[in-house]
Amino acid sequence: MKTALVTGGAGFLGSHLTDRLVREGFRVVVLDNLATGSWSNLAHLSSQVVTRIEWDVIQPIPMERLPRQIDVVVHLASPASPVHYRRLALETLWVNSRGTGNALDVARAYGARFVLGSTSETYGDPMLSPQKESYWGNVNPVGLRSCYDESKRFGEALTMECMRQFDLDVVILRFFNCYGPRMQAEDGRVVPNFILQALRKEKMTVYGDGRQTRSFCYVSDEVDAIHRAMTMSGLKGQVINVGNPEERTIMEFAQIVAEVAEVECKIEVKPLPTDDPTNRCPDIQKARTLLGWEPVVPLRQGLHETAAFFREKFNL
Ligand code: UDP
């Protein structure tokens, strides 16, 4: 039986990954400080296969509480929505720098593969579309998003340096706007905001002129890419975009959400947040070639699943 350590495993993405790993026969150790995650996301999983450790990975990880064997470390711990990472700006800087170092130390101690959950935010407001992994990005190093963007970039640099210095087996995945059930209603991201506003028959809050674009990837697709990055060979040192290349303007996205929720699309325009990227679309050629992966869940289907989750949760 293989053992995986998942930092941030009680969060939205981490809990879906843990579900999948349990189905694949892994034993999973979840480390989470519950800043944005919750054990309730893992409540359905037995403690025989999932060990829960409440811990802030900014602190050195207590090796004495870990099992004898760890085959792969997946570092996902970090606030990920603009609202959360602004609220937890220093914690975000530290978890993606010191926290990444601590997670790398575990991988090194166990000779485990290290998979870094990185982000399309490393490209900042990109001057190229679609974004390839070879693009260095256009990031404001001192702006309001820099606590996330720059610390993720630092985490990538640290990961690559540990590969060079200690011969660690590392893979970096850059996620593009993942969505699905278990997202938090209050995290302020466009998917929960629009879905809840539509289900409550409220106006949908479009920031700016709505011409900025995003590419949304359903969580089961994203988890499938992570699982491949954890288990396939020949990936050492690779940086791979993980996202759905179907790009939408935010205005178009509002209309699609209204259609899925079967309500009239009513819009309220609000100011565009500072440094909000104008576009985001992954080039996924590397994921196709190296992981044999591409997303399979269509946007409307993923939104149906996500809306069903919020309907049930809030009795809508
Ligand atoms: N956005 C919006 N209305 C909302 C929330 C977000 O128009 O209620 C926009 C936001 O300005 C951005 C895009 O939707 O252009 C995606 O925002 P989100 O916070 O989901 O994630 P980001 O991709 O910016 O990290």
Side-chain angles (χ1 to χ4, degrees):
M1 194 182 215
K2 292 223 171 202
T3 303
L5 175 76
V6 181
T7 75
F12 155 60
L13 178 56
S15 66
H16 283 284
L17 176 65
T18 302
D19 277 340
R20 169 76 189 263
L21 293 176
V22 168
R23 283 204 303 278
E24 298 287 341
F26 274 80
R27 185 188 143 88
V28 187
V29 181
V30 169
L31 284 184
D32 206 301
N33 71 347
L34 310 180
T36 56
S38 165
W39 292 135
S40 63
N41 286 331
L42 301 174
H44 53 288
L45 296 173
S46 144
S47 56
Q48 304 214 301
V49 281
V50 178
T51 305
R52 295 143 172 91
I53 303 178
E54 190 173 333
W55 192 262
D56 189 340
V57 293
I58 290 173
Q59 307 301 331
I61 293 168
M63 300 280 190
E64 68 284 357
R65 292 176 67 182
L66 301 182
R68 273 210 207 125
Q69 179 200 334
I70 290 179
D71 302 282
V72 54
V73 174
V74 187
H75 182 43
L76 301 178
S78 173
S81 86
V83 166
H84 281 326
Y85 63 66
R86 279 308 312 147
R87 181 173 63 81
L88 299 166
L90 285 172
E91 290 87 341
T92 302
L93 282 157
W94 291 130
V95 77
N96 290 313
S97 50
R98 280 188 195 155
T100 303
N102 291 332
L104 281 159
D105 282 347
V106 174
R108 199 177 158 204
Y110 282 85
R113 176 174 293 186
F114 183 79
V115 179
L116 177 68
S118 189
T119 168
S120 56
E121 284 284 316
T122 57
Y123 301 120
D125 187 11
M127 312 290 272
L128 282 187
S129 183
Q131 292 87 52
K132 277 187 199 294
E133 294 83 349
S134 53
Y135 178 51
W136 293 353
N138 175 38
V139 174
N140 176 353
V142 292
L144 289 175
R145 294 174 85 105
S146 64
C147 59
Y148 188 65
D149 303 9
E150 290 293 11
S151 63
K152 285 285 188 183
R153 288 168 67 98
F154 177 85
E156 290 197 3
L158 190 61
T159 299
M160 293 308 279
E161 213 42 58
C162 284
M163 178 189 77
R164 291 183 196 110
Q165 304 238 350
F166 310 125
D167 200 28
L168 271 190
D169 181 6
V170 307
V171 187
I172 295 174
L173 302 178
R174 293 186 181 145
F175 303 132
F176 284 65
N177 291 79
C178 180
Y179 74 100
R182 299 186 198 151
M183 287 186 97
Q184 284 183 304
E186 63 280 8
D187 84 9
R189 280 188 277 198
V190 70
V191 174
N193 277 11
F194 281 5
I195 290 182
L196 281 164
Q197 288 159 350
L199 294 178
R200 292 173 173 146
K201 302 196 170 44
E202 296 166 359
K203 289 182 180 164
M204 283 186 263
T205 51
V206 170
Y207 301 161
D209 60 14
R211 280 162 52 194
Q212 69 272 35
T213 67
R214 293 293 185 272
S215 307
F216 298 97
C217 185
Y218 191 62
V219 65
S220 59
D221 282 333
E222 189 138 318
V223 160
D224 189 46
I226 303 173
H227 178 251
R228 285 169 194 247
M230 292 171 69
T231 52
M232 290 175 72
S233 56
L235 298 175
K236 187 172 172 181
Q238 293 292 346
V239 181
I240 307 170
N241 286 338
V242 172
N244 191 322
E246 198 182 306
E247 186 180 12
R248 303 282 180 177
T249 68
I250 292 301
M251 195 60 90
E252 252 182 288
F253 184 63
Q255 275 148 9
I256 295 169
V257 171
E259 210 180 289
V260 168
E262 298 178 337
V263 296
E264 190 196 334
C265 182
K266 291 178 287 182
I267 301 293
E268 179 184 0
V269 174
K270 292 220 169 174
L272 189 68
T274 313
D275 291 341
D276 198 276
T278 51
N279 69 99
R280 261 206 220 129
C281 178
D283 179 317
I284 60 164
Q285 200 45 49
K286 272 188 89 173
R288 285 196 176 103
T289 312
L290 295 173
L291 304 177
W293 174 88
E294 62 181 8
V296 295
V297 179
L299 182 60
R300 282 178 175 75
Q301 186 187 327
L303 287 173
H304 267 294
E305 306 285 340
T306 314
F309 164 79
F310 283 115
R311 264 202 182 99
E312 194 186 321
K313 183 163 181 177
F314 294 103
N315 245 327
L316 292 164

